Each structure stands twice: as C-alpha cells, then as structure tokens.
C-alpha cells in the first residue's frame, strides 16, 4: 500500500514539475509604480499573496508517503505533520493599509509580522533572492539582528526599512505603491 502511494505521488509530482518547466514564459513584468498618489484623507488598502512553487508544496505533502516504505507509523505521523505544516507555511498573505503592513501564512493566522505605519521609514520593490536572506521561510529577527525576511520564492519582493534602522523583506508583488502612498500621506507636509 505504501509503495503504491509513493509511486502515485511521485508520478503526480513529476508531471506537475514537467508542466511548470514547459509552461510558456511569463511576459516581462512592468516596472511597478513606486508611489500611489492619494488625496488628503484618502485611504487605500492592498492585499496580495505569494506562494512557493507547486512542485515544492506537493513534494512536502507527498514526502510522508515515500517514507512510509521504510519507517513505522509513528515516524510517518510525525514527519507527515511537519511536512503539512511546512506546506501550509509555503504561502504568505501580505496586507498593507492604514494599520501598516501585516504578513502571515495564507492558510493560518499565526505566526504573523505586524509593522505599524508609524514605524516604517521607507519601502521599495526589490528582486528578492532567497540565499541573500538566508534561504526560504522566515529568516532573521527584527528584535535581535534587526534584519528579517519571509521568503517563499525568489522574485519580486518588498523591502521595508524601519525608523529604528531594522530591515524587513517579504516575497510579494506590487505592494510598494500603496505603502509608499500611505507613507507620503502620513508624512507632515512642509509649510
């Protein structure tokens, strides 16, 4: 039974991976607008998600089936639970609004990173490379090392510099325009 499940999961994973590799290339991304212009008193919100590629997430779900060939049920339950948690954490939801920036896993509400608008000095769109931030997942600590990132894939991301000099980055597309618009609206105007 375990062997049949493992073979089936392997075939699904290979098929998905092959489709991802042979998919037509995406059109070149437009340069994101760096700041949305907001009228005085106008509010804006933005929510987006980013996810690890489908093959990786499917692999995390199928991995316990492969291990069932060699290990006992107790080990499979433990490893399977860890893999399912990792698969659930493989996508993030980012919300930008008057509250600031909130980042959490897409499927569950914890753990979460919350950065109030008043604590953000500036924001910019970046090309996020996982290995420059320590790999995939939540890396670093805003409190201890004053540098952290939530990375689920390489590519477009948001880099936030806090007023205390700490830096936070997250894998997500197109959030910078709304965030910078809110920051500009909050900034005191020179008279």
């Amino acid at each position: 039974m375990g062997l049949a499940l493992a073979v089936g999961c392997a075939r699904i994973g290979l098929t998905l991976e092959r489709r991802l590799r042979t998919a037509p290339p995406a059109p070149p991304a437009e340069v994101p607008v760096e700041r949305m212009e907001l009228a005085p008193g106008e509010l804006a919100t933005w929510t987006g998600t980013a996810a690890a590629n489908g093959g990786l997430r499917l692999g995390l779900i199928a991995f316990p089936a492969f291990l069932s060939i060699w290990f006992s049920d107790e080990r499979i339950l433990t490893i399977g639970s860890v893999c399912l948690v990792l698969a659930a954490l493989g996508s993030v939801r980012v919300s930008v609004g008057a509250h600031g920036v909130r980042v959490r896993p897409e499927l569950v509400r914890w753990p979460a990173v919350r950065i109030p608008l008043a604590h953000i000095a500036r924001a910019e769109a970046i090309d996020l490379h996982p290995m420059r931030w320590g790999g995939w997942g939540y890396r670093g600590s805003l409190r201890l090392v004053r540098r952290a990132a939530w990375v689920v894939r390489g590519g477009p991301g948001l880099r936030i510099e806090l007023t205390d000099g700490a830096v936070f980055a997250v894998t997500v597309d197109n959030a910078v325009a709304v965030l910078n618009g809110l920051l500009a609206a909050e900034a005191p105007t020179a008279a």
Side-chain angles (χ1 to χ4, degrees):
M1 174 72 172
L3 181 59
L5 183 60
V7 170
C9 288
R11 289 192 71 183
I12 291 170
L14 290 173
T15 302
L16 182 59
E17 193 64 34
R18 217 176 288 125
R19 284 186 185 164
L20 289 172
R21 271 189 277 137
T22 59
E30 295 180 22
V31 175
V33 176
E34 287 295 318
R35 186 173 90 195
M36 175 184 284
E37 296 298 327
L38 299 174
E42 184 179 14
L43 296 177
T45 60
W46 179 92
T47 299
T49 59
N53 75 36
L56 176 64
R57 293 177 79 187
L58 182 62
L60 286 171
I61 294 169
F63 186 62
F66 287 113
L67 294 179
S68 68
I69 298 167
W70 295 287
F71 297 114
S72 71
D73 292 335
E74 293 169 356
R75 290 183 188 173
I76 295 302
L77 183 60
T78 302
I79 294 169
S81 299
V82 169
C83 287
L84 288 174
V85 167
L86 290 174
L89 296 177
S91 61
V92 293
R93 175 178 298 275
V94 180
S95 300
V96 176
H99 57 76
V101 177
R102 186 178 2 219
V103 181
R104 66 174 178 83
E106 185 177 14
L107 301 177
V108 293
R109 295 188 180 268
W110 183 87
V113 174
R114 290 177 179 83
I115 303 173
L117 208 54
H119 294 175
I120 299 174
R122 64 184 222 101
E124 64 181 332
I126 62 169
D127 186 21
L128 198 145
H129 298 275
M131 297 316 289
R132 291 185 186 162
W133 293 88
W136 290 264
Y138 185 84
R139 298 289 182 239
S141 169
L142 287 174
R143 289 186 192 152
L144 299 177
V145 295
R146 303 171 47 75
R147 177 179 159 98
W150 201 322
V151 182
V152 295
R153 61 161 169 73
L158 173 66
R159 181 183 181 277
I160 301 170
E161 187 175 316
L162 281 65
T163 55
D164 66 359
V167 175
F168 179 76
V170 61
T171 306
V172 72
D173 304 335
N174 306 322
V176 72
V178 172
L179 182 54
N180 280 335
L182 288 167
L183 289 172
E186 289 286 316
T189 57

